[in-house]
Amino acid sequence: MKKTICFTLMFAILLGGCKFKEFFEKKKEKRAETEHHFTVKVPVTVSEAHFGSLRKHVKTDGIAKAAQRVEVTAELNEKIVWVKDCNNSFAEKGSVIVKLDNEQLLLDLEKAELNKRKAEAEFEAWKKLGENSSDEQLRLRTGLTEAEIALKRAQYNLKKTEIKAPVSGFISNLELVVGERIRNGDALFSVFNTNKIIVKANVLESEINRIKPKSKARIKFPGLKNKVFSGEVKSVSPEINESSRTCEVEILISDNALIKHGMYADVKIDAENYENRILVYKDALIVRDGKKLVFAVEDGKAKWQYVKTGEENENFISVTEGAEPGQKIVIKGNFSLSHDANVKIEEEIEFEKLARIF
């Protein structure tokens, strides 16, 4: 009996020792995990809080238009005898683009010149006879005035047989064929002066009063791999389109060598400007338990700071309370952080480089 009791007691002690050892091993592992949590540094990206101005914008879309577009039409009923091969090419002002048959008009010019000479001879004859009438009366009597007008008309009509580019620009819609007969008023070709490009954008009536003439704008064209151009508001229409409830805004672009007439554009126009604001990148702001906060890095640790915010745009938000200029604010890697977590700054981005153009 005593042996049984001793054996049972020894087994209990041995079992208890194993359980005790297991308990301390687990406690040791838990302590190691806790120490690991406080020693591992979380990689983050930061940017300094900035003191400056916050600019808001109005975003819309538009279509690029040549600042000057001239539609050239026929002024005579004649046959085409020559067409310059210049469709979709640049032409200087005054370049001959189309020539019309001028045989009949040359004959009309010769006849007009002959009639003028006859009238001049008759005019001189009357003067030599000592006619008491005034020169003006003699010109009318002899038909000299009428002959001079007819000559000018014949000269003018002959000039119209050479159809020229009225402005320097790109020739478009030139589809004429030699031998084709055109009629007065027919459309012949277009000239686009692309030295200046106007983007016509439609802005919602709820936002139009935020835009003023000479406001700066940024324009990008998907057809140009989203290359961004600078522009300036040239004019704001005084009327609202009743069907679309939008207002047309014209934006002038000077650096336009690549832009084509009719290109689609994304537009961002400067609107309100708020000065003397503390700004942080919008990605820095997180909400926990309904409260806004940011993480600032101090001495290698993440310090959460509750903040109050004000105006914002697509890039930045103004902080009215809870952050100071120059603080290194976490903008990436912040969602998994806790207060006093050890962090490692992997990248620090300058404030100006954070601004997304669109």
Side-chain angles (χ1 to χ4, degrees):
M1 183 69 179
K2 289 183 178 179
K3 288 183 179 181
T4 303
I5 293 172
C6 289
F7 178 77
T8 302
L9 183 61
M10 289 178 65
F11 180 76
I13 292 171
L14 182 62
L15 181 62
C18 290
K19 292 290 185 180
F20 188 73
K21 182 178 179 182
E22 183 180 350
F23 170 76
F24 273 98
E25 287 292 334
K26 287 184 177 180
K27 190 172 183 180
K28 184 177 179 181
E29 288 176 3
K30 187 174 182 180
R31 183 168 62 248
E33 288 177 1
T34 303
E35 290 176 354
H36 178 74
H37 171 74
F38 283 102
T39 56
V40 170
K41 294 183 177 181
V42 180
V44 296
T45 300
V46 302
S47 181
E48 289 188 354
H50 178 77
F51 184 78
S53 298
L54 180 80
R55 172 72 73 177
K56 286 193 172 185
H57 305 94
V58 172
K59 287 187 174 183
T60 184
D61 53 37
I63 300 294
K65 302 286 185 180
Q68 187 178 26
R69 176 182 179 177
V70 181
E71 301 291 343
V72 179
T73 58
E75 297 182 72
L76 295 173
N77 300 326
E78 290 292 349
K79 184 174 66 175
I80 297 172
V81 296
W82 179 83
V83 179
K84 185 175 182 179
D85 184 13
C86 63
N87 196 34
N88 300 325
S89 300
F90 185 82
E92 294 286 351
K93 178 181 179 180
S95 300
V96 177
I97 308 300
V98 179
K99 290 183 180 180
L100 304 179
D101 183 9
N102 63 5
E103 288 186 12
Q104 181 59 52
L105 293 175
L106 284 172
L107 292 174
D108 292 344
L109 178 61
E110 289 181 11
K111 182 178 179 180
E113 289 173 340
L114 178 60
N115 290 338
K116 179 175 177 288
R117 288 196 296 269
K118 287 181 178 179
E120 286 174 338
E122 188 175 351
F123 175 82
E124 292 299 327
W126 278 106
K127 286 195 70 173
K128 288 179 180 180
L129 291 174
E131 175 64 35
N132 292 327
S133 302
S134 66
D135 284 358
E136 185 62 29
Q137 290 174 325
L138 281 177
R139 290 173 64 85
L140 291 172
R141 181 186 299 177
T142 59
L144 179 56
T145 299
E146 185 179 350
E148 288 175 342
I149 294 172
L151 177 60
K152 288 181 180 178
R153 185 183 298 113
Q155 292 170 336
Y156 177 70
N157 286 337
L158 185 62
K159 284 183 178 180
K160 289 193 291 187
T161 61
E162 288 191 346
I163 302 170
K164 301 177 181 180
V167 296
S168 295
F170 285 88
I171 306 298
S172 181
N173 303 318
L174 180 61
E175 299 175 353
L176 302 174
V177 178
V178 173
E180 178 183 356
R181 180 169 288 276
I182 60 174
R183 302 177 67 84
N184 189 358
D186 286 352
L188 302 181
F189 57 89
S190 305
V191 186
F192 295 92
N193 182 353
T194 55
N195 287 336
K196 293 181 180 179
I197 289 289
I198 297 288
V199 172
K200 294 191 175 185
N202 294 315
V203 177
L204 292 173
E205 65 175 319
S206 59
E207 297 187 312
I208 193 61
N209 287 331
R210 300 173 60 197
I211 298 173
K212 307 296 180 186
K214 296 189 177 180
S215 294
K216 301 300 180 185
R218 297 289 180 273
I219 306 98
K220 71 176 182 179
F221 295 90
L224 296 176
K225 298 181 179 179
N226 288 327
K227 177 178 172 61
V228 178
F229 296 81
S230 297
E232 182 177 283
V233 174
K234 179 174 179 277
S235 65
V236 178
S237 174
E239 63 178 340
I240 299 292
N241 184 296
E242 293 184 4
S243 59
S244 65
R245 308 311 305 173
T246 60
C247 182
E248 185 176 85
V249 175
E250 291 190 345
I251 302 164
L252 177 64
I253 305 177
S254 296
D255 176 20
N256 53 40
L258 300 174
I259 305 171
K260 303 294 185 184
H261 177 90
M263 274 187 165
Y264 175 85
D266 291 313
V267 180
K268 187 171 79 170
I269 307 170
D270 286 355
E272 303 88 356
N273 188 47
Y274 301 93
E275 297 182 346
N276 303 320
R277 298 293 194 273
I278 298 173
L279 307 175
V280 298
Y281 192 51
K282 288 181 76 171
D283 289 354
L285 189 71
I286 57 178
V287 179
R288 290 185 179 173
D289 297 326
K291 295 181 179 180
K292 298 177 181 178
L293 62 90
V294 297
F295 281 98
V297 176
E298 296 179 10
D299 301 323
K301 293 184 179 295
K303 305 288 186 179
W304 77 16
Q305 300 176 177
Y306 290 109
V307 295
K308 293 182 179 179
T309 60
E311 302 85 4
E312 62 181 89
N313 62 16
E314 60 273 19
N315 299 313
F316 305 104
I317 187 166
S318 63
V319 176
T320 58
E321 186 179 317
E324 297 296 330
Q327 281 190 305
K328 296 185 185 301
I329 305 297
V330 179
I331 63 173
K332 186 178 180 181
N334 49 342
F335 284 92
S336 61
L337 288 179
S338 59
H339 186 61
D340 276 340
N342 291 298
V343 295
K344 176 184 178 182
I345 297 176
E346 288 200 331
E347 184 180 11
E348 182 171 351
I349 303 177
E350 293 180 12
F351 178 84
E352 290 76 11
K353 293 182 179 179
L354 289 172
R356 292 185 288 262
I357 296 176
F358 278 89

